Amino acid sequence: MAISKARKDELVAQYTQLIKDSDGRIFIAEYKGMNVKSMEKLREDIAKADGAFHITKNTLLKIALEQADQPILEDLLQGQIATGFALNEGPTLAKAMVDFADDEDNLVIKGGIFSGRVLTVDEVEALAKMPSL
């Protein structure tokens, strides 16, 4: 079902605000076949890590990244995408997402942005291994 122009504008504004609130520390994952119970558990884990987790529309996230002056993740914005926004420490959110992906085959970390720099999967995993402040 198509969404209205007004709803698209709302989502872009929401994504842009989350990007700004997270100081551009976001992590992109692909989810396929995750059930509701798993998704709720992931959201709980991310909330404990002072983050926000949203299923994002690829084209709308791209627009929000442009509006927030962040790098565009063209190759990452493919498929069913979910985005984690670090509202506090980036490594803590990365750890929560990587740990969950290790246990859940239906969540695949694709990369992210940290301090205006595009991160590969390996860099997100390395960030997840850093000690928290």
Side-chain angles (χ1 to χ4, degrees):
M1 182 174 151
I3 59 177
S4 69
K5 172 83 169 107
R7 179 66 180 141
K8 288 178 183 178
D9 291 342
E10 285 176 30
L11 288 172
V12 168
Q14 178 185 22
Y15 299 163
T16 302
Q17 189 60 51
L18 283 165
I19 292 166
K20 289 178 181 176
D21 290 347
S22 67
D23 292 327
R25 296 173 309 212
I26 67 172
F27 305 102
I28 306 291
E30 185 171 14
Y31 68 98
K32 282 188 181 176
M34 279 184 69
N35 61 36
V36 174
K37 185 177 178 182
S38 293
M39 191 65 77
E40 287 176 357
K41 171 73 170 110
L42 176 57
R43 288 181 197 271
E44 264 181 41
D45 292 351
I46 288 175
K48 288 177 186 172
D50 287 330
F53 185 77
H54 294 272
I55 305 303
T56 49
K57 305 281 284 169
N58 297 338
T59 53
L60 302 181
L61 182 59
K62 180 181 173 184
I63 293 167
L65 288 166
E66 289 171 355
Q67 289 182 2
D69 295 322
Q70 293 294 322
I72 306 303
L73 311 167
E74 290 287 346
D75 53 333
L76 300 181
L77 299 179
Q78 306 289 327
Q80 295 177 323
I81 297 300
T83 307
F85 301 89
L87 302 177
N88 196 353
E89 291 183 22
T92 305
L93 176 62
K95 180 171 177 37
M97 290 182 68
V98 167
D99 287 351
F100 191 88
D102 287 345
D103 296 334
E104 174 66 56
D105 293 336
N106 294 326
L107 184 74
V108 177
I109 306 296
K110 293 184 78 173
I113 298 174
F114 197 87
S115 299
R117 183 173 171 277
V118 177
L119 300 178
T120 65
V121 175
D122 292 336
E123 291 171 322
V124 173
E125 289 174 354
L127 189 63
K129 293 176 183 169
M130 291 179 64
S132 65
L133 295 175

